[in-house]
Amino acid sequence: MPKIVAVTGNEAVAEAFRQVNPDVCAAYPITPSTDLMQRFASFVNNGKVKTEIILVESEHSAMSACIGASAAGGRVITATSSQGLALMWEELFIASGTRLPIVLGLVNRALSAPLNIHGDHSDGMGARDCGWIQLWSENAQEAYDNTIQAFRIAEHMDIRLPAMTCMDGFIISHSIERMEYLDDEVVKNFAGEFRTVNPLLDIEHPVSYGPLILPDYYMEFRRAHAEVMSKVPEVVLSVAKDFEKISGRKYSLFETYRLEDAEIAFVILNSAAGTSKDVIDEFRNKGVKAGLLKPRLYRPFPYEEVGEALKHLKAVCVLDRADAFGASYGPLYIDIAASLYPYKEKPTLINKIYGLGGRDYLPEHAELVLNELAEVAKTGRVKTFKEYIGVRE
Amino acid sequence: MATPLSLKELSKKEVLLTAGHRMCSGCGAPPVVKMVLLASDYPVVASNATGCLEVSTCISEYTAWKIPWIHNAFENAAASLSGVETMYRSLKKQGKIDKEIKFIAFGGDGGTYDIGFQSLSGAMERGHDMLYICYDNGAYMNTGIQRSSATPFGADTTTCPAGSVVPGKLQQRKDLTKIMAAHGIPYVAQASPSSWSDLMKKVRKALEIKGPKFMNIIAPCNRGWRSRTDDAILLSRLAVETCYWPLYEIEDGVTKITVKPKEKKPLVDFLKPQGRFKHMFAPENEWMLKQAQEEVDKNWERLLKEEAFTASLETPKE
């Protein structure tokens, strides 16, 4: 029987890791993901898992050790945030280019400088194009559910790519929420046995990992990677279907909220979607046809499906909790704009940058944006396509 | 029973780094790797830092390695192998694997002394059961002979060229072997391919010891040393005979010089055949030769004292 609990996001992801029971974990402390790994280390030292843990001396070595361990032939996890993910950057590409199904719990946090330990999406956005699968999570329940599903997606024999699950630092990682844990056996069976592909430890069949590949074949490898990425959405949906059977919870490539008959909408990731849904309800009560789309599978991005879901709207605001400096718009906005570009009839698209470095995203921010969207929908006129909100002028 | 360390018996063993790799002719690294792998009677899984050895032995669909081998990046041969070794322990504990496997990391001096130093230090401190082997040719040879912290004093490299104002590298090399010994790991050694039997004995000893081990092996590079193509073994011997590269081991804190030169040759015997030290023989740079010799003398004297001192610390066996 599923168990109803009151836990933090970090606790929930640590629990998912315990239930999946990986072979090796490499960990290095960084706020706000530290607590997740402390909890997992306690499972290791109290014999609750079979996992061997490597307490490395940096995040670069954490991902390096994960790559070695995964290539050796087993299930591997790690977790990090912010600077930690930035330090792993080189290794993230090597993990995906080597097709190693490592699962990483990312607790989203702002990047330096200035130093800031609170939640925003700069870290995950900075790593969005490194060939990993990214699943984003609104709350502790989704973080837990996504973590369990991430193993099945990453390890799928048609995929074999690393995956990171994202949740907002502090807002989710450190807040206690009501949620449901699945039974240990149920999770264990769902994750299944790890299947190896050319493991290094098979000494009877020696393999070389990490060759030098020059212009003669490098491009074919990159294209193969891109082709595998294109198969991910299908696998995400089939894993979600299986997950619904054990949990009763439905997952898709993204979540839509009151979107079908909406005229104006938000596109927003992670925890701020919750606040936005409340405000949407208030506006609906006033007769404003507002809705929301919350991406879940952010990489690979399901452009066609997202475009189909948004094309009928009059005005859409993409809210980015990270800026893409010098790119004119936030990273999520750029993806949404690309999704809508093929359509002749499409909504007017505006972009707000919010919540950087843990700045609160409040209902009044959502109200201001919805009022502006209603005005844009009515008049077709846009004052500013991109601006920072909730910021001192 | 272990294969006897005789040329006759060793010649019957399979060479695990095959011919056909693309290292330069006369490079000191492949003989070092072959000796290391020949010394082991256990199956070995290796990791390799980015560098000459790595780029030249596994290109596209070809590999020269007959053992499981992983290259990850430049600075993390130790961390990567620590992951492999940990997975081995995990699977062994779970009963999914039963073979006795040994783990060896190979890195050049750039990937070991410099960019990979933290990764190496961390892996050694964590106590992984692995042997890290640095093949030290004293510069970033793969990228075109740039200075590393292993480059000897005075050497002409492409980033510290012997110029009219700055005559080559003005700093002494980092003594990495001693730094690794300071980690308190059970076994640290220095070796040279010129003393193949000493090298292989050390590898064997290291593989029999549980825990982290480190070996520093000199590997002449004729491109960077500006020396004759067929002089790698000769130069590595001169490095030993001049006490520039003493052959010693530190086992559980006890230092032992394994090969003592009968007669300590002057350092110039080692420097002279190498074009990278040519400018040091100009009259105005005489001070450089003097300083280089003094450094070698000081280190050698210190090593002799260390050997005597650490021997005196040993508790006499009943």
mmCIF file of all heavy atoms in Angstrom, chain A residues 23 50 52 54-55 57-58 60 64-65 68-69 74 90-91 94 200 203-204 207-210 212, chain B residues 58-60 63 66 68-69 71-72 75-76 79-80 83-84 86-87 89-90 93-94 99 118 126:
data_model
loop_
_atom_site.group_PDB
_atom_site.id
_atom_site.type_symbol
_atom_site.label_atom_id
_atom_site.label_comp_id
_atom_site.label_asym_id
_atom_site.label_seq_id
_atom_site.Cartn_x
_atom_site.Cartn_y
_atom_site.Cartn_z
ATOM 1 N N ASP A 23 23.814 0.450 -7.585
ATOM 2 C CA ASP A 23 25.052 -0.245 -7.228
ATOM 3 C C ASP A 23 26.112 0.703 -6.690
ATOM 4 O O ASP A 23 26.851 0.362 -5.780
ATOM 5 C CB ASP A 23 25.608 -0.976 -8.456
ATOM 6 C CG ASP A 23 24.634 -2.005 -8.995
ATOM 7 O OD1 ASP A 23 24.274 -2.912 -8.230
ATOM 8 O OD2 ASP A 23 24.212 -1.876 -10.154
ATOM 9 N N LYS A 50 22.285 -1.650 -0.993
ATOM 10 C CA LYS A 50 23.491 -2.417 -1.330
ATOM 11 C C LYS A 50 24.573 -1.504 -1.908
ATOM 12 O O LYS A 50 25.679 -1.932 -2.213
ATOM 13 C CB LYS A 50 23.130 -3.507 -2.340
ATOM 14 C CG LYS A 50 22.693 -2.916 -3.677
ATOM 15 C CD LYS A 50 22.234 -3.927 -4.692
ATOM 16 C CE LYS A 50 21.833 -3.200 -5.977
ATOM 17 N NZ LYS A 50 21.086 -3.964 -6.929
ATOM 18 N N GLU A 52 27.480 0.996 -2.980
ATOM 19 C CA GLU A 52 28.802 1.453 -2.520
ATOM 20 C C GLU A 52 28.868 2.948 -2.838
ATOM 21 O O GLU A 52 28.609 3.357 -3.972
ATOM 22 C CB GLU A 52 29.923 0.731 -3.289
ATOM 23 C CG GLU A 52 30.095 -0.727 -2.926
ATOM 24 C CD GLU A 52 30.718 -0.932 -1.544
ATOM 25 O OE1 GLU A 52 31.580 -0.136 -1.145
ATOM 26 O OE2 GLU A 52 30.307 -1.906 -0.868
ATOM 27 N N ILE A 54 30.934 6.590 -3.079
ATOM 28 C CA ILE A 54 32.281 7.177 -3.240
ATOM 29 C C ILE A 54 32.164 8.650 -2.841
ATOM 30 O O ILE A 54 31.483 9.430 -3.509
ATOM 31 C CB ILE A 54 32.800 7.111 -4.687
ATOM 32 C CG1 ILE A 54 32.466 5.764 -5.347
ATOM 33 C CG2 ILE A 54 34.298 7.368 -4.729
ATOM 34 C CD1 ILE A 54 32.866 5.690 -6.822
ATOM 35 N N LEU A 55 32.826 9.017 -1.760
ATOM 36 C CA LEU A 55 32.735 10.398 -1.291
ATOM 37 C C LEU A 55 33.917 11.169 -1.867
ATOM 38 O O LEU A 55 34.974 11.281 -1.261
ATOM 39 C CB LEU A 55 32.687 10.419 0.233
ATOM 40 C CG LEU A 55 31.493 9.608 0.781
ATOM 41 C CD1 LEU A 55 31.599 9.387 2.260
ATOM 42 C CD2 LEU A 55 30.166 10.274 0.424
ATOM 43 N N GLU A 57 36.187 14.220 -4.011
ATOM 44 C CA GLU A 57 36.752 15.491 -3.569
ATOM 45 C C GLU A 57 36.283 16.667 -4.423
ATOM 46 O O GLU A 57 36.719 17.787 -4.198
ATOM 47 C CB GLU A 57 38.272 15.378 -3.496
ATOM 48 C CG GLU A 57 39.041 15.562 -4.796
ATOM 49 C CD GLU A 57 38.722 14.554 -5.886
ATOM 50 O OE1 GLU A 57 38.348 13.415 -5.572
ATOM 51 O OE2 GLU A 57 38.831 14.920 -7.060
ATOM 52 N N SER A 58 35.374 16.434 -5.368
ATOM 53 C CA SER A 58 34.796 17.529 -6.157
ATOM 54 C C SER A 58 33.671 16.959 -7.007
ATOM 55 O O SER A 58 33.585 15.746 -7.196
ATOM 56 C CB SER A 58 35.839 18.149 -7.092
ATOM 57 O OG SER A 58 36.090 17.264 -8.180
ATOM 58 N N HIS A 60 33.491 17.426 -10.140
ATOM 59 C CA HIS A 60 34.094 16.921 -11.374
ATOM 60 C C HIS A 60 34.457 15.446 -11.196
ATOM 61 O O HIS A 60 34.182 14.611 -12.056
ATOM 62 C CB HIS A 60 35.334 17.741 -11.743
ATOM 63 C CG HIS A 60 35.831 17.451 -13.128
ATOM 64 N ND1 HIS A 60 36.547 16.311 -13.416
ATOM 65 C CD2 HIS A 60 35.667 18.111 -14.296
ATOM 66 C CE1 HIS A 60 36.821 16.314 -14.725
ATOM 67 N NE2 HIS A 60 36.295 17.382 -15.272
ATOM 68 N N SER A 64 33.056 12.041 -12.896
ATOM 69 C CA SER A 64 34.088 11.163 -13.469
ATOM 70 C C SER A 64 33.942 9.749 -12.912
ATOM 71 O O SER A 64 34.014 8.762 -13.651
ATOM 72 C CB SER A 64 35.491 11.679 -13.120
ATOM 73 O OG SER A 64 35.664 12.989 -13.593
ATOM 74 N N ALA A 65 33.742 9.660 -11.600
ATOM 75 C CA ALA A 65 33.593 8.351 -10.962
ATOM 76 C C ALA A 65 32.295 7.685 -11.413
ATOM 77 O O ALA A 65 32.251 6.465 -11.627
ATOM 78 C CB ALA A 65 33.633 8.491 -9.446
ATOM 79 N N GLY A 68 33.014 6.164 -14.760
ATOM 80 C CA GLY A 68 33.789 4.926 -14.603
ATOM 81 C C GLY A 68 32.917 3.796 -14.092
ATOM 82 O O GLY A 68 32.948 2.669 -14.608
ATOM 83 N N ALA A 69 32.109 4.097 -13.098
ATOM 84 C CA ALA A 69 31.265 3.067 -12.467
ATOM 85 C C ALA A 69 30.203 2.571 -13.449
ATOM 86 O O ALA A 69 29.928 1.375 -13.542
ATOM 87 C CB ALA A 69 30.619 3.619 -11.206
ATOM 88 N N GLY A 74 26.881 -1.121 -14.146
ATOM 89 C CA GLY A 74 25.903 -1.146 -13.055
ATOM 90 C C GLY A 74 25.134 0.155 -12.989
ATOM 91 O O GLY A 74 25.367 1.068 -13.785
ATOM 92 N N GLU A 90 32.024 19.532 -18.230
ATOM 93 C CA GLU A 90 32.818 18.746 -19.178
ATOM 94 C C GLU A 90 32.389 17.274 -19.153
ATOM 95 O O GLU A 90 32.257 16.621 -20.188
ATOM 96 C CB GLU A 90 34.293 18.851 -18.784
ATOM 97 C CG GLU A 90 35.192 17.968 -19.613
ATOM 98 C CD GLU A 90 36.604 17.857 -19.047
ATOM 99 O OE1 GLU A 90 36.759 17.721 -17.813
ATOM 100 O OE2 GLU A 90 37.543 17.908 -19.821
ATOM 101 N N GLU A 91 32.185 16.774 -17.935
ATOM 102 C CA GLU A 91 31.876 15.354 -17.766
ATOM 103 C C GLU A 91 30.444 15.013 -18.186
ATOM 104 O O GLU A 91 30.147 13.875 -18.546
ATOM 105 C CB GLU A 91 32.111 14.951 -16.310
ATOM 106 C CG GLU A 91 33.582 14.969 -15.938
ATOM 107 C CD GLU A 91 34.383 13.958 -16.752
ATOM 108 O OE1 GLU A 91 34.075 12.767 -16.680
ATOM 109 O OE2 GLU A 91 35.303 14.380 -17.472
ATOM 110 N N ILE A 94 30.582 13.922 -21.595
ATOM 111 C CA ILE A 94 31.246 12.630 -21.754
ATOM 112 C C ILE A 94 30.296 11.506 -21.333
ATOM 113 O O ILE A 94 30.223 10.465 -21.968
ATOM 114 C CB ILE A 94 32.588 12.622 -20.993
ATOM 115 C CG1 ILE A 94 33.539 13.641 -21.653
ATOM 116 C CG2 ILE A 94 33.203 11.220 -20.988
ATOM 117 C CD1 ILE A 94 34.828 13.898 -20.922
ATOM 118 N N LEU A 200 32.851 -2.815 -18.760
ATOM 119 C CA LEU A 200 34.318 -2.891 -18.648
ATOM 120 C C LEU A 200 34.765 -4.090 -17.827
ATOM 121 O O LEU A 200 35.848 -4.614 -18.033
ATOM 122 C CB LEU A 200 34.832 -1.644 -17.916
ATOM 123 C CG LEU A 200 35.227 -0.416 -18.705
ATOM 124 C CD1 LEU A 200 35.672 0.658 -17.733
ATOM 125 C CD2 LEU A 200 36.342 -0.710 -19.694
ATOM 126 N N ILE A 203 35.929 -9.108 -18.325
ATOM 127 C CA ILE A 203 37.310 -9.214 -18.778
ATOM 128 C C ILE A 203 37.490 -10.230 -19.905
ATOM 129 O O ILE A 203 38.494 -10.225 -20.594
ATOM 130 C CB ILE A 203 38.267 -9.529 -17.608
ATOM 131 C CG1 ILE A 203 37.715 -10.683 -16.807
ATOM 132 C CG2 ILE A 203 38.487 -8.308 -16.726
ATOM 133 C CD1 ILE A 203 38.683 -11.239 -15.838
ATOM 134 N N GLU A 204 36.503 -11.092 -20.074
ATOM 135 C CA GLU A 204 36.575 -12.048 -21.194
ATOM 136 C C GLU A 204 36.336 -11.338 -22.531
ATOM 137 O O GLU A 204 36.713 -11.845 -23.586
ATOM 138 C CB GLU A 204 35.517 -13.155 -21.050
ATOM 139 C CG GLU A 204 35.435 -13.821 -19.677
ATOM 140 C CD GLU A 204 36.714 -14.541 -19.299
ATOM 141 O OE1 GLU A 204 37.469 -14.929 -20.219
ATOM 142 O OE2 GLU A 204 36.970 -14.704 -18.090
ATOM 143 N N VAL A 207 36.710 -4.309 -23.853
ATOM 144 C CA VAL A 207 36.262 -3.210 -24.710
ATOM 145 C C VAL A 207 37.046 -1.953 -24.351
ATOM 146 O O VAL A 207 37.522 -1.815 -23.227
ATOM 147 C CB VAL A 207 34.750 -2.917 -24.561
ATOM 148 C CG1 VAL A 207 33.912 -3.991 -25.221
ATOM 149 C CG2 VAL A 207 34.358 -2.754 -23.092
ATOM 150 N N SER A 208 37.164 -1.065 -25.319
ATOM 151 C CA SER A 208 37.799 0.232 -25.090
ATOM 152 C C SER A 208 36.721 1.303 -25.071
ATOM 153 O O SER A 208 35.927 1.397 -26.002
ATOM 154 C CB SER A 208 38.803 0.543 -26.198
ATOM 155 O OG SER A 208 39.915 -0.321 -26.116
ATOM 156 N N TYR A 209 36.707 2.093 -24.021
ATOM 157 C CA TYR A 209 35.776 3.218 -23.903
ATOM 158 C C TYR A 209 36.533 4.525 -24.126
ATOM 159 O O TYR A 209 37.639 4.680 -23.622
ATOM 160 C CB TYR A 209 35.179 3.270 -22.486
ATOM 161 C CG TYR A 209 33.922 2.473 -22.283
ATOM 162 C CD1 TYR A 209 33.966 1.112 -22.001
ATOM 163 C CD2 TYR A 209 32.679 3.088 -22.352
ATOM 164 C CE1 TYR A 209 32.809 0.378 -21.800
ATOM 165 C CE2 TYR A 209 31.510 2.363 -22.156
ATOM 166 C CZ TYR A 209 31.582 1.016 -21.880
ATOM 167 O OH TYR A 209 30.426 0.309 -21.672
ATOM 168 N N GLY A 210 35.928 5.449 -24.817
ATOM 169 C CA GLY A 210 36.506 6.787 -24.929
ATOM 170 C C GLY A 210 37.554 6.938 -25.996
ATOM 171 O O GLY A 210 38.617 7.506 -25.756
ATOM 172 N N LEU A 212 39.486 8.235 -29.530
ATOM 173 C CA LEU A 212 39.666 9.494 -30.262
ATOM 174 C C LEU A 212 38.946 9.322 -31.593
ATOM 175 O O LEU A 212 39.197 8.352 -32.302
ATOM 176 C CB LEU A 212 41.161 9.725 -30.494
ATOM 177 C CG LEU A 212 41.539 10.845 -31.466
ATOM 178 C CD1 LEU A 212 41.262 12.207 -30.859
ATOM 179 C CD2 LEU A 212 43.012 10.731 -31.850
ATOM 180 N N CYS B 58 43.942 4.444 -29.254
ATOM 181 C CA CYS B 58 42.532 4.089 -29.484
ATOM 182 C C CYS B 58 41.900 5.153 -30.365
ATOM 183 O O CYS B 58 41.402 6.158 -29.877
ATOM 184 C CB CYS B 58 41.799 3.955 -28.150
ATOM 185 S SG CYS B 58 40.128 3.333 -28.345
ATOM 186 N N ILE B 59 41.966 4.910 -31.664
ATOM 187 C CA ILE B 59 41.453 5.875 -32.634
ATOM 188 C C ILE B 59 40.335 5.241 -33.436
ATOM 189 O O ILE B 59 40.519 4.174 -34.022
ATOM 190 C CB ILE B 59 42.566 6.361 -33.585
ATOM 191 C CG1 ILE B 59 43.767 6.883 -32.775
ATOM 192 C CG2 ILE B 59 42.044 7.414 -34.535
ATOM 193 C CD1 ILE B 59 44.921 7.356 -33.612
ATOM 194 N N SER B 60 39.190 5.921 -33.443
ATOM 195 C CA SER B 60 37.994 5.424 -34.130
ATOM 196 C C SER B 60 37.755 3.958 -33.788
ATOM 197 O O SER B 60 37.722 3.599 -32.632
ATOM 198 C CB SER B 60 38.097 5.616 -35.636
ATOM 199 O OG SER B 60 37.924 6.971 -35.932
ATOM 200 N N THR B 63 41.688 -0.238 -31.599
ATOM 201 C CA THR B 63 42.252 -0.087 -30.270
ATOM 202 C C THR B 63 43.474 -0.984 -30.163
ATOM 203 O O THR B 63 43.499 -2.075 -30.734
ATOM 204 C CB THR B 63 41.228 -0.417 -29.158
ATOM 205 O OG1 THR B 63 41.849 -0.184 -27.884
ATOM 206 C CG2 THR B 63 40.711 -1.848 -29.218
ATOM 207 N N LYS B 66 44.347 -4.766 -25.386
ATOM 208 C CA LYS B 66 43.705 -6.087 -25.331
ATOM 209 C C LYS B 66 43.079 -6.324 -23.969
ATOM 210 O O LYS B 66 42.692 -7.446 -23.633
ATOM 211 C CB LYS B 66 44.741 -7.170 -25.655
ATOM 212 C CG LYS B 66 45.163 -7.121 -27.111
ATOM 213 C CD LYS B 66 45.851 -8.405 -27.495
ATOM 214 C CE LYS B 66 45.916 -8.534 -29.008
ATOM 215 N NZ LYS B 66 46.502 -9.805 -29.399
ATOM 216 N N PRO B 68 40.282 -4.488 -20.951
ATOM 217 C CA PRO B 68 39.267 -3.436 -20.834
ATOM 218 C C PRO B 68 39.940 -2.111 -20.458
ATOM 219 O O PRO B 68 40.784 -2.075 -19.556
ATOM 220 C CB PRO B 68 38.368 -3.935 -19.700
ATOM 221 C CG PRO B 68 38.595 -5.404 -19.631
ATOM 222 C CD PRO B 68 40.025 -5.609 -20.025
ATOM 223 N N TRP B 69 39.551 -1.060 -21.161
ATOM 224 C CA TRP B 69 40.268 0.215 -21.056
ATOM 225 C C TRP B 69 39.273 1.358 -21.168
ATOM 226 O O TRP B 69 38.353 1.295 -21.974
ATOM 227 C CB TRP B 69 41.279 0.250 -22.198
ATOM 228 C CG TRP B 69 42.087 1.496 -22.392
ATOM 229 C CD1 TRP B 69 43.292 1.791 -21.836
ATOM 230 C CD2 TRP B 69 41.775 2.611 -23.263
ATOM 231 N NE1 TRP B 69 43.744 3.008 -22.296
ATOM 232 C CE2 TRP B 69 42.839 3.530 -23.174
ATOM 233 C CE3 TRP B 69 40.703 2.915 -24.105
ATOM 234 C CZ2 TRP B 69 42.862 4.742 -23.884
ATOM 235 C CZ3 TRP B 69 40.726 4.112 -24.812
ATOM 236 C CH2 TRP B 69 41.806 5.006 -24.700
ATOM 237 N N HIS B 71 39.060 5.656 -21.383
ATOM 238 C CA HIS B 71 39.550 7.036 -21.355
ATOM 239 C C HIS B 71 38.342 7.908 -21.107
ATOM 240 O O HIS B 71 37.326 7.789 -21.785
ATOM 241 C CB HIS B 71 40.193 7.397 -22.699
ATOM 242 C CG HIS B 71 40.222 8.870 -22.956
ATOM 243 N ND1 HIS B 71 39.509 9.466 -23.970
ATOM 244 C CD2 HIS B 71 40.845 9.877 -22.290
ATOM 245 C CE1 HIS B 71 39.717 10.779 -23.927
ATOM 246 N NE2 HIS B 71 40.505 11.058 -22.924
ATOM 247 N N ASN B 72 38.438 8.779 -20.115
ATOM 248 C CA ASN B 72 37.335 9.688 -19.822
ATOM 249 C C ASN B 72 37.740 11.093 -20.247
ATOM 250 O O ASN B 72 37.291 11.589 -21.271
ATOM 251 C CB ASN B 72 37.000 9.578 -18.330
ATOM 252 C CG ASN B 72 35.847 10.448 -17.898
ATOM 253 O OD1 ASN B 72 35.487 11.397 -18.578
ATOM 254 N ND2 ASN B 72 35.263 10.154 -16.759
ATOM 255 N N GLU B 75 41.894 15.157 -16.767
ATOM 256 C CA GLU B 75 42.251 15.347 -15.358
ATOM 257 C C GLU B 75 41.664 14.300 -14.423
ATOM 258 O O GLU B 75 41.642 14.499 -13.222
ATOM 259 C CB GLU B 75 41.784 16.739 -14.916
ATOM 260 C CG GLU B 75 40.263 16.944 -14.863
ATOM 261 C CD GLU B 75 39.644 17.215 -16.219
ATOM 262 O OE1 GLU B 75 39.820 16.376 -17.110
ATOM 263 O OE2 GLU B 75 38.955 18.249 -16.366
ATOM 264 N N ASN B 76 41.138 13.204 -14.971
ATOM 265 C CA ASN B 76 40.361 12.352 -14.082
ATOM 266 C C ASN B 76 40.584 10.850 -14.269
ATOM 267 O O ASN B 76 39.670 10.068 -14.001
ATOM 268 C CB ASN B 76 38.866 12.681 -14.247
ATOM 269 C CG ASN B 76 38.408 12.511 -15.687
ATOM 270 O OD1 ASN B 76 39.176 12.058 -16.520
ATOM 271 N ND2 ASN B 76 37.183 12.854 -15.953
ATOM 272 N N ALA B 79 39.961 9.429 -10.750
ATOM 273 C CA ALA B 79 38.553 9.442 -10.323
ATOM 274 C C ALA B 79 37.744 8.447 -11.144
ATOM 275 O O ALA B 79 36.888 7.731 -10.606
ATOM 276 C CB ALA B 79 37.965 10.843 -10.458
ATOM 277 N N SER B 80 38.007 8.384 -12.443
ATOM 278 C CA SER B 80 37.256 7.461 -13.303
ATOM 279 C C SER B 80 37.510 6.021 -12.868
ATOM 280 O O SER B 80 36.579 5.229 -12.741
ATOM 281 C CB SER B 80 37.670 7.618 -14.762
ATOM 282 O OG SER B 80 37.559 8.966 -15.149
ATOM 283 N N GLY B 83 35.772 4.940 -9.842
ATOM 284 C CA GLY B 83 34.393 4.532 -10.102
ATOM 285 C C GLY B 83 34.324 3.088 -10.584
ATOM 286 O O GLY B 83 33.469 2.313 -10.149
ATOM 287 N N VAL B 84 35.242 2.716 -11.463
ATOM 288 C CA VAL B 84 35.269 1.342 -11.981
ATOM 289 C C VAL B 84 35.540 0.369 -10.827
ATOM 290 O O VAL B 84 34.850 -0.642 -10.666
ATOM 291 C CB VAL B 84 36.356 1.177 -13.077
ATOM 292 C CG1 VAL B 84 36.364 -0.252 -13.606
ATOM 293 C CG2 VAL B 84 36.153 2.166 -14.217
ATOM 294 N N THR B 86 35.042 0.812 -7.686
ATOM 295 C CA THR B 86 33.938 0.764 -6.728
ATOM 296 C C THR B 86 32.794 -0.110 -7.250
ATOM 297 O O THR B 86 32.179 -0.859 -6.488
ATOM 298 C CB THR B 86 33.441 2.190 -6.408
ATOM 299 O OG1 THR B 86 34.558 2.967 -5.982
ATOM 300 C CG2 THR B 86 32.389 2.176 -5.312
ATOM 301 N N MET B 87 32.533 0.002 -8.554
ATOM 302 C CA MET B 87 31.507 -0.870 -9.138
ATOM 303 C C MET B 87 31.924 -2.336 -8.988
ATOM 304 O O MET B 87 31.104 -3.207 -8.688
ATOM 305 C CB MET B 87 31.274 -0.512 -10.610
ATOM 306 C CG MET B 87 30.178 -1.327 -11.288
ATOM 307 S SD MET B 87 28.557 -1.205 -10.462
ATOM 308 C CE MET B 87 27.976 0.380 -11.067
ATOM 309 N N ARG B 89 33.751 -3.604 -6.576
ATOM 310 C CA ARG B 89 33.511 -4.008 -5.181
ATOM 311 C C ARG B 89 32.026 -4.245 -4.926
ATOM 312 O O ARG B 89 31.633 -5.179 -4.240
ATOM 313 C CB ARG B 89 34.038 -2.940 -4.219
ATOM 314 C CG ARG B 89 35.516 -3.126 -3.880
ATOM 315 C CD ARG B 89 35.949 -2.190 -2.776
ATOM 316 N NE ARG B 89 36.064 -0.825 -3.254
ATOM 317 C CZ ARG B 89 35.345 0.187 -2.812
ATOM 318 N NH1 ARG B 89 34.449 0.005 -1.852
ATOM 319 N NH2 ARG B 89 35.512 1.392 -3.299
ATOM 320 N N SER B 90 31.216 -3.351 -5.517
ATOM 321 C CA SER B 90 29.767 -3.477 -5.319
ATOM 322 C C SER B 90 29.259 -4.799 -5.905
ATOM 323 O O SER B 90 28.532 -5.549 -5.237
ATOM 324 C CB SER B 90 29.053 -2.293 -5.970
ATOM 325 O OG SER B 90 27.659 -2.406 -5.828
ATOM 326 N N LYS B 93 30.538 -7.842 -3.955
ATOM 327 C CA LYS B 93 29.802 -7.986 -2.696
ATOM 328 C C LYS B 93 28.430 -8.618 -2.952
ATOM 329 O O LYS B 93 27.932 -9.404 -2.157
ATOM 330 C CB LYS B 93 29.637 -6.599 -2.064
ATOM 331 C CG LYS B 93 29.232 -6.598 -0.603
ATOM 332 C CD LYS B 93 29.154 -5.178 -0.063
ATOM 333 C CE LYS B 93 27.964 -4.416 -0.650
ATOM 334 N NZ LYS B 93 27.866 -3.021 -0.164
ATOM 335 N N GLN B 94 27.847 -8.264 -4.091
ATOM 336 C CA GLN B 94 26.527 -8.801 -4.436
ATOM 337 C C GLN B 94 26.608 -10.198 -5.058
ATOM 338 O O GLN B 94 25.583 -10.767 -5.437
ATOM 339 C CB GLN B 94 25.822 -7.868 -5.430
ATOM 340 C CG GLN B 94 25.501 -6.487 -4.890
ATOM 341 C CD GLN B 94 24.958 -5.590 -6.000
ATOM 342 O OE1 GLN B 94 24.031 -5.967 -6.716
ATOM 343 N NE2 GLN B 94 25.526 -4.407 -6.162
ATOM 344 N N LYS B 99 35.757 -12.923 -10.120
ATOM 345 C CA LYS B 99 37.175 -12.900 -10.511
ATOM 346 C C LYS B 99 37.959 -11.859 -9.734
ATOM 347 O O LYS B 99 37.431 -10.832 -9.350
ATOM 348 C CB LYS B 99 37.292 -12.599 -12.003
ATOM 349 C CG LYS B 99 36.845 -13.745 -12.860
ATOM 350 C CD LYS B 99 37.436 -13.634 -14.255
ATOM 351 C CE LYS B 99 37.151 -14.869 -15.068
ATOM 352 N NZ LYS B 99 35.712 -15.074 -15.338
ATOM 353 N N GLN B 118 44.376 16.761 -8.237
ATOM 354 C CA GLN B 118 43.313 16.683 -7.230
ATOM 355 C C GLN B 118 42.583 15.342 -7.301
ATOM 356 O O GLN B 118 42.310 14.705 -6.278
ATOM 357 C CB GLN B 118 42.329 17.825 -7.455
ATOM 358 C CG GLN B 118 41.127 17.763 -6.542
ATOM 359 C CD GLN B 118 40.129 18.861 -6.836
ATOM 360 O OE1 GLN B 118 40.508 19.982 -7.126
ATOM 361 N NE2 GLN B 118 38.858 18.541 -6.752
ATOM 362 N N ARG B 126 40.982 8.155 -0.580
ATOM 363 C CA ARG B 126 39.788 7.327 -0.360
ATOM 364 C C ARG B 126 40.124 5.837 -0.245
ATOM 365 O O ARG B 126 39.272 5.038 0.119
ATOM 366 C CB ARG B 126 38.788 7.527 -1.509
ATOM 367 C CG ARG B 126 38.154 8.891 -1.558
ATOM 368 C CD ARG B 126 36.959 8.929 -2.493
ATOM 369 N NE ARG B 126 37.273 8.638 -3.881
ATOM 370 C CZ ARG B 126 37.671 9.539 -4.771
ATOM 371 N NH1 ARG B 126 37.832 10.802 -4.418
ATOM 372 N NH2 ARG B 126 37.907 9.195 -6.022
#
